[in-house]
Structure formats: C-alpha cells, structure tokens
Amino acid sequence: MAEGYRILAVGVGGQGILLFSRVLGEAALREGYPVAMSEVHGMAQRGGVVETNIVVGAVRSPYISPGEADVLVALEPVEALRALSRCRKEATAIVSTDPVVPQIVKDGLATYPELPPLLQRLRGVLPRVYLLSGEELAQEAGSTRALNVVLLGALAATGVLPFGREAFLAALKKAVKPAYLDLNLRAFDLGWRAVESAR
C-alpha cells in the first residue's frame, strides 16, 4: 500500500454506505490525504447493490479493480463474498454478519446461501477478517439505522488506515445532525470496541 489505500465499501440500498463513505473521505481529508470516490447505487432504494470505491493517498483511479482493494467493508455478508475478488490477498475485511434477504428469496425464487460456509470462505481467503453483528450493535446504540457508523468505528479500530479514531470522530460530528449525534457516537464506539476485543 505504499502509494495509497483502496477501500471498497459494499452493501445494499438503505444501509447508509454513502454516508459511511462521506465520513471516511472527510476523515482522510482532515488528516491531509487526497481522496477520490466513485459510487454504484443503481437500484439502491429497492434493496439493490450499493458500493463505493474510496481511494486515499497517491492513487490515480477512483475505481478499484479486481485484486486491488486493501480494505473491504461489507454491511451485508453476501455482498462481502461478491466483492472478494476485488481484494488483494493481504486485504483486511470488516463484515457485518446480518443477512439482508432479497425480495427474490422472499418470493421463493432463489435461496440465500448458508452463512457459516460463506463466512468460512472469507476467512479462508483473507488474512484478517473481522466479523460482527452490525445490526445488533446498532440496535444497542439506539437504532439499526446506525449500522454504517458501527462499521466506521470497526474500521477505525483496525488501524489499517494512516489516520485514527479522532479524525473519524471529527468527520462524524460534521456529517451527522446534532439530534442524532449521541446515537451515532455510541454506534461508533460499539464498532470500535468489537474490533478492539477481537484483535
């Protein structure tokens, strides 16, 4: 990662990936790193796939090609598996283990993969995989809508980026409305502690 850091964030519509990416980018900028982002959010409002590519440092392209991601942050486990080929073999992954069952599965037209083999595959391919129930921690913070901020706290605690907790918190305070700040700070702290206890 000498020239920079490539962070791939994936999930489905409604999980707050865009806010996640905005706070991450703001944290990097506050620490003096150049940032570029690109987003894919086609059917986001209908539970479709959402991803953001965030590149920090001296990386020219805002798109992360197969085998390039240094960090994978997945707010949904199947999306983590789908993005696995985009990761370097040394990449770090932070994955929320709570499935979001798509409508096609609810309609009985497809099946959702079994979770234990899926998570085992992630751990078999990447050297550092942090698994946490992001929804449970977000609920503990006060709302499942804070899942994205739980994952931000978890990412900050990994120490894989060249900026830490204070930069993330300053960016979070700037991005979140004051009425929701305490909830989001609790969510960040719970994500942080989940990774700290797993290290």
Side-chain angles (χ1 to χ4, degrees), residues 85-107:
S85 65
R86 306 268 298 279
C87 294
R88 301 173 68 224
K89 63 181 181 182
E90 304 86 1
T92 296
I94 303 106
V95 180
S96 177
T97 58
D98 308 299
V100 177
V101 178
Q103 189 61 44
I104 191 168
V105 173
K106 293 177 183 172
D107 292 342

Side-chain angles (χ1 to χ4, degrees), residues 65-81:
S65 296
E68 284 191 338
D70 300 300
V71 182
L72 169 65
V73 179
L75 282 68
E76 205 285 333
V78 164
E79 296 310 319
L81 188 61

Side-chain angles (χ1 to χ4, degrees), residues 1-8 20 24 28 33 54 56-57 69-73 88 90-94 126-130 151-165 168 192 195-196 199:
M1 290 191 287
E3 80 276 18
Y5 301 83
R6 296 174 174 89
I7 304 106
L8 180 62
F20 171 96
L24 172 56
Y33 292 93
I54 307 114
V56 175
D70 300 300
V71 182
L72 169 65
V73 179
R88 301 173 68 224
E90 304 86 1
T92 296
I94 303 106
L126 299 178
R128 285 172 302 282
V129 178
Y130 297 97
L151 274 287
L152 266 176
L155 172 61
T158 63
V160 296
L161 297 178
F163 46 91
R165 181 182 176 93
F168 277 97
W192 172 278
V195 166
E196 278 280 286
R199 291 177 70 182

Side-chain angles (χ1 to χ4, degrees), residues 115-164:
L115 208 49
L118 186 160
L119 300 177
Q120 188 174 7
R121 170 142 173 76
L122 292 171
R123 283 194 153 146
V125 172
L126 299 178
R128 285 172 302 282
V129 178
Y130 297 97
L131 303 174
L132 57 141
S133 175
E135 282 190 11
E136 186 177 309
L137 294 173
Q139 185 63 50
E140 185 179 338
S143 170
T144 56
R145 294 178 63 95
L147 166 67
N148 54 349
V149 179
V150 169
L151 274 287
L152 266 176
L155 172 61
T158 63
V160 296
L161 297 178
F163 46 91

Side-chain angles (χ1 to χ4, degrees), residues 167-190:
F168 277 97
L169 287 174
L172 184 62
K173 289 173 184 173
K174 181 179 177 184
V176 174
K177 292 180 180 175
Y180 303 108
L181 183 57
D182 285 347
L183 185 157
N184 281 283
L185 291 175
R186 287 194 299 273
F188 183 93
D189 195 50
L190 287 166

Side-chain angles (χ1 to χ4, degrees), residues 2-43:
E3 80 276 18
Y5 301 83
R6 296 174 174 89
I7 304 106
L8 180 62
V10 297
V12 299
Q15 290 189 306
I17 290 181
L18 301 182
L19 176 63
F20 171 96
S21 304
R22 190 157 51 100
V23 173
L24 172 56
E26 175 68 23
L29 286 171
R30 283 177 171 268
E31 295 298 303
Y33 292 93
V35 178
M37 290 193 279
S38 63
E39 304 167 349
V40 176
H41 44 100
M43 299 287 283

